[in-house]
Amino acid sequence: MISCMNIDALAFAFLILVLSIFVYKKRHEIEVVRVLPPIMFFYMYRTKVGIDLMDVLAKRYNNVLKRISKLIVPIGFIGMAFVSVEMVRNLVMSLLHPQAISGAALVLPIQAKGVFYVPFFYWIISILVVVVVHEFCHGLFSRVAKVPVLSSGFAFLSILLPIVPAAFVEPNEKLLLRRSVREQLAVFAAGPVSNLVFGLLFMLVSLLLTHYIVSPMYLYDGTEVSSLQSGYAVYDSGIKPGEIILAIAGVPIKKVDDFKTAMDGKKPGDRVDVQTNKSVYNLELGANPTDAAKPYLGVIIMQKKSMINPSMIKDIVVWFDGLLFWIFVLSLGVGFFNLLPLGIVDGGRMFLSAANLVFSKDRATKIYHVTSACFLLVIVGSLVLNWVR
């Protein structure tokens, strides 16, 4: 019987094959952008898809979109400050606390070291939704600024082979640079901010669906130990992966959320009884890797549950709820990543435009390059930490 993991791997391999054939057949029409040659490239296939719709919406809702554009820029810079601080803080915490989870990882539908795994069909649908929203909003706010969109199209990130589908729009750069700085910033920020907004909307819908429809379908039977983290008392306690945690300090554990209730009022160094379906273990709580003042057990857990009266309709609802969750997660991830003051993403262009307002052009460019290089090191460092652990 083929496991879900094998299905994901086969589907991902088939996608790579299809993308590779497409890139080869369209090789004379595709622009190749060298990112880290000879390993990493970006393939761009130009079309006119969606441009007419951008024009129609920009004309019909021009006044509303102009008001929205005034909000996009401050939201974008607030997001940039937040994600910049979090990325640096997370890298520092990862270096100081080896058990902490690094803040950057490749998001792929395969289970491998250093990879943030998302099931294939959730991954491909979520990626397509996220990139279409991102690029369409770039184009839409370009049209609001009266900047023509020359082309739209499909793109593929290639690491030896094309592995991640993407999308792009190309505003007329010469005309865009003649617009006011505020209008330029609105165009740059439109993509990532739209991802954040849509991500939050998907989160809200997912939470409502989960709470009112999905959760009542299940019986919650405790939490299963998936793995143990070294550096904590639980690692040598005798608890084994696969055991079901039923109670902590006398608090019944039916759902993952019950962990928080069990930890209320506890602090690092306290001892608690952990009851599983195999035995009772008396353990000393460690310090949370992201907040040393908070207690931490040191287990990675999965929810143990069974569906009441299973049916195909219920399975479809649950699958759709999972899709909403992953669109929310990847929307926020892509949105925040693109707000980093990094040369290859929208945040880099926002940062340079803002720096040009404060400093001379030469000084602003130097600050931009130094900042971009620093955040590139932060990302690479986080990826490496994820891979070596």
Side-chain angles (χ1 to χ4, degrees), residues 134 188 191-192 195 333-340 344-348 350:
H134 183 105
F188 300 151
N195 286 142
V334 170
F336 278 123
F337 177 79
N338 275 276
L339 285 173
L340 283 169
I344 60 174
V345 296
D346 301 313
M350 292 173 61

Side-chain angles (χ1 to χ4, degrees), residues 89-91 93-95 97-105 116 229 289-290 296 300 382 385-386 389:
R89 186 188 71 83
N90 197 277
L91 179 60
M93 293 299 297
S94 296
L95 291 170
H97 303 282
Q99 67 272 27
I101 299 173
S102 180
F116 182 78
Q229 295 178 267
T290 59
Y296 195 69
I300 306 297
S382 297
L385 283 175
N386 257 330
R389 288 177 179 173

Side-chain angles (χ1 to χ4, degrees), residues 225-246:
V225 177
S226 177
S227 62
L228 307 172
Q229 295 178 267
S230 61
Y232 295 95
V234 70
Y235 193 77
D236 300 312
S237 67
I239 290 181
K240 304 294 184 186
E243 290 190 39
I244 309 300
I245 297 178
L246 303 176

Side-chain angles (χ1 to χ4, degrees), residues 25-92:
K25 286 194 169 184
K26 300 289 185 179
R27 62 190 181 279
H28 299 302
E29 305 168 51
I30 286 177
E31 179 183 345
V32 180
V33 179
R34 300 173 185 273
V35 181
L36 290 173
I39 297 173
M40 187 179 294
F41 298 91
F42 202 67
Y43 298 118
M44 299 174 63
Y45 179 69
R46 290 177 174 82
T47 70
K48 297 291 183 180
V49 174
I51 294 178
D52 289 343
L53 181 58
M54 296 172 196
D55 291 341
V56 169
L57 293 178
K59 184 177 181 179
R60 182 174 298 176
Y61 303 106
N62 190 264
N63 291 332
V64 174
L65 292 171
K66 280 184 176 179
R67 293 190 187 98
I68 292 173
S69 71
K70 294 178 181 179
L71 297 174
I72 286 175
V73 177
I75 292 173
F77 278 110
I78 291 170
M80 181 187 296
F82 171 78
V83 71
S84 298
V85 170
E86 280 299 301
M87 285 296 297
V88 173
R89 186 188 71 83
N90 197 277
L91 179 60
V92 172

Side-chain angles (χ1 to χ4, degrees), residues 53-297:
L53 181 58
M54 296 172 196
D55 291 341
V56 169
L57 293 178
K59 184 177 181 179
R60 182 174 298 176
Y61 303 106
N62 190 264
N63 291 332
V64 174
L65 292 171
K66 280 184 176 179
R67 293 190 187 98
I68 292 173
S69 71
K70 294 178 181 179
L71 297 174
I72 286 175
V73 177
I75 292 173
F77 278 110
I78 291 170
M80 181 187 296
F82 171 78
V83 71
S84 298
V85 170
E86 280 299 301
M87 285 296 297
V88 173
R89 186 188 71 83
N90 197 277
L91 179 60
V92 172
M93 293 299 297
S94 296
L95 291 170
L96 295 177
H97 303 282
Q99 67 272 27
I101 299 173
S102 180
L106 294 173
V107 179
L108 294 172
I110 54 174
Q111 294 183 334
K113 198 171 184 180
V115 170
F116 182 78
Y117 166 71
V118 180
F120 177 81
F121 292 103
Y122 286 153
W123 176 80
I124 189 65
I125 296 172
S126 298
I127 288 292
L128 292 175
V129 170
V130 169
V131 300
V132 167
V133 167
H134 183 105
E135 297 301 334
F136 186 86
C137 287
H138 274 314
L140 179 61
F141 282 91
S142 294
R143 297 303 297 123
V144 171
K146 307 300 182 188
V147 176
V149 175
L150 302 179
S151 67
S152 63
F154 308 103
F156 314 100
L157 176 64
S158 174
I159 302 177
L160 299 179
L161 292 171
I163 61 172
V164 181
F168 67 91
V169 295
E170 287 185 309
N172 186 312
E173 284 290 330
K174 290 182 179 179
L175 287 180
L176 179 59
L177 293 176
R178 292 176 190 169
R179 296 292 183 259
S180 68
V181 174
R182 183 189 62 77
E183 288 176 307
Q184 292 178 43
L185 287 171
V187 173
F188 300 151
V193 171
S194 67
N195 286 142
L196 298 183
V197 172
F198 275 85
L200 292 174
L201 289 175
F202 277 109
M203 179 190 71
L204 178 61
V205 175
S206 177
L207 288 174
L208 291 174
L209 183 62
T210 299
H211 182 76
Y212 290 106
I213 299 178
V214 176
S215 287
M217 294 180 181
Y218 286 97
L219 288 175
Y220 293 85
D221 307 313
T223 55
E224 181 178 340
V225 177
S226 177
S227 62
L228 307 172
Q229 295 178 267
S230 61
Y232 295 95
V234 70
Y235 193 77
D236 300 312
S237 67
I239 290 181
K240 304 294 184 186
E243 290 190 39
I244 309 300
I245 297 178
L246 303 176
I248 298 176
V251 177
I253 304 295
K254 293 290 186 182
K255 299 182 180 181
V256 172
D257 292 345
D258 294 334
F259 261 71
K260 184 179 182 302
T261 303
M263 293 296 176
D264 283 346
K266 306 292 189 301
K267 59 183 183 296
D270 288 351
R271 300 192 71 87
V272 296
D273 287 332
V274 178
Q275 179 186 352
T276 74
N277 60 328
K278 300 292 185 182
S279 186
V280 177
Y281 306 86
N282 185 259
L283 303 176
E284 180 179 326
L285 296 174
N288 192 299
T290 59
D291 186 345
K294 294 182 179 179
Y296 195 69
L297 191 58

